[in-house]
């Protein structure tokens, strides 16, 4: 059974950077497309970024382009999200997800989800 555990969240100020990590166990991350999603208070969960099985292709939501960077180290079974120039509106719980047949913006395409890590950006 695949298990995903996120880490790296915290409380930062606007303009700061954070790097989130997501470790996959119970399988090999090279067998999965993976993505990051986030859910702000009282909002639906939304797509942030995704990366293909061997990290040759990435997708980003418009608000993430140029500030957020997704990467993957299959040797470590770890997915990353580097977030730069954070804004108050980036405050959310960030989730990683893994899909054996898919990577992209659609939540239904992913088979496994982590529990999330809280990112809070203060002004």
């Amino acid at each position: 059974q695949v298990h995903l555990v996120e880490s790296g969240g915290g409380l930062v100020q606007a303009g700061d950077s954070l790097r989130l990590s997501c470790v996959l166990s119970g399988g090999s991350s090279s067998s999965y497309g993976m993505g990051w999603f986030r859910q702000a208070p009282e909002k639906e969960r939304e797509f942030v970024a995704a990366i293909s099985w061997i990290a040759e292709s990435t997708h980003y939501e418009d608000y993430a382009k140029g500030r957020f960077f997704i990467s993957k180290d299959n040797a470590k079974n770890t997915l990353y999200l580097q977030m730069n120039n954070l804004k108050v509106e980036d405050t959310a719980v960030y989730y990683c997800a893994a899909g054996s047949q898919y990577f992209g913006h659609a939540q239904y395409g992913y088979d496994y989800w982590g529990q999330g890590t809280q990112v809070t950006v203060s002004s």
Side-chain angles (χ1 to χ4, degrees), residues 4-24:
L4 301 171
V5 178
E6 303 96 335
S7 62
L11 173 63
V12 296
Q13 292 188 326
D16 286 351
S17 297
L18 271 180
R19 188 176 79 158
L20 306 182
S21 300
C22 172
V23 177
L24 184 151

Side-chain angles (χ1 to χ4, degrees), residues 30-68:
S30 62
S31 298
Y32 296 91
M34 298 184 75
W36 287 100
F37 291 78
R38 71 183 188 182
Q39 186 168 18
E42 301 182 357
K43 293 188 176 180
E44 294 187 353
R45 189 160 58 185
E46 63 180 2
F47 173 68
V48 179
I51 191 165
S52 60
W53 294 260
I54 56 172
E56 77 279 13
S57 184
T58 57
H59 296 309
Y60 292 92
E61 189 58 81
D62 285 347
Y63 64 78
K65 292 178 181 177
R67 293 194 302 128
F68 294 2

